[in-house]
Amino acid sequence: MQGVSRYAVQLMAHDPSWEREFLEVKEMLYNVFPGQLLDVQWVGSTAIPAICAKPVLDVAVRFSAIGELDAKALTDKGYDYCGSRPDDENRHLFVLRRRDEASGEEISLQHIHCYGPDNPGFNQLVGFRDYLNSHPEEAAAYEGLKRSLAVAHPDDRASYTKGKAAFIQSIFQKMEEKS
């Protein structure tokens, strides 16, 4: 994965090599947490081939018991443990970063989102990916929004993410209506 500076927004066309990287990360996770994982899914825009994405791999992991998550197992593999999320103590985040030699900036490469067995966030991420992969018109609209937000907020990932929130919520609503 190419990665992107920590606060920057940089989009690129889908790269088929991203799937291979996901499969390698998935295998690593099953090896690091033997018998603890219920599911590992590739999520985020890199998992939607029809649209552009920030070149950062997003992986959602469902644990059989989130309380047994051993953060050291991933920090030993070079990931930074970002703790549980402020809005959800049963969701934990790990980020793999590297220092860009040319700029000296920290580059985000992978985000590992860890969930407990009943956390609805896991299903939302997987469902969002599946919905956009099966609704090309919605995927195109999302890509258009992402492109305009990237131009408006090239160095402000928080504003870029906030700008996508209403669209993402509308897809969650459509997913709910279908179920």
Side-chain angles (χ1 to χ4, degrees):
M1 195 63 65
Q2 177 184 340
V4 66
S5 298
R6 193 169 190 169
Y7 302 106
V9 178
Q10 173 190 351
L11 301 176
M12 62 184 296
H14 183 80
D15 182 336
S17 71
W18 294 344
E19 182 176 12
R20 182 177 60 250
E21 182 174 343
F22 163 70
L23 293 172
E24 291 168 359
V25 170
K26 181 179 180 178
E27 180 179 2
M28 178 271 297
L29 289 166
Y30 276 108
N31 288 331
V32 167
F33 299 109
Q36 295 180 324
L37 306 183
L38 299 174
D39 199 1
V40 177
Q41 292 286 321
W42 180 19
V43 296
S45 293
T46 62
I48 306 167
I51 67 173
C52 63
K54 290 187 315 293
V56 176
L57 186 74
D58 283 294
V59 178
V61 182
R62 186 189 304 260
F63 279 78
S64 57
I66 197 68
E68 296 176 12
L69 169 66
D70 176 12
K72 188 174 181 326
L74 282 178
T75 59
D76 284 352
K77 295 283 186 187
Y79 290 83
D80 293 332
Y81 177 53
C82 301
S84 62
R85 303 297 68 211
D87 60 334
D88 185 353
E89 65 184 34
N90 292 308
R91 177 179 156 236
H92 298 255
L93 177 66
F94 293 84
V95 178
L96 182 65
R97 299 182 174 106
R98 70 169 164 78
R99 180 120 355 241
D100 181 63
E101 292 183 23
S103 69
E105 292 182 20
E106 200 169 65
I107 305 294
S108 297
L109 303 169
Q110 298 174 2
H111 295 162
I112 308 293
H113 308 267
C114 300
Y115 296 90
D118 301 319
N119 192 310
F122 181 91
N123 291 338
Q124 284 184 321
L125 287 177
V126 173
F128 184 81
R129 175 205 64 199
D130 292 348
Y131 189 91
L132 290 188
N133 276 329
S134 64
H135 293 85
E137 67 289 347
E138 298 277 12
Y142 186 51
E143 180 177 47
L145 174 62
K146 288 167 52 100
R147 287 185 183 278
S148 67
L149 289 168
V151 169
H153 307 288
D155 296 311
D156 184 357
R157 197 176 306 174
S159 293
Y160 168 82
T161 300
K162 186 176 179 181
K164 298 185 305 179
F167 182 91
I168 292 169
Q169 286 303 314
S170 75
I171 298 299
F172 290 163
Q173 182 65 38
K174 290 175 184 179
M175 290 165 35
E176 209 171 280
E177 290 167 2
K178 286 187 88 171
S179 58

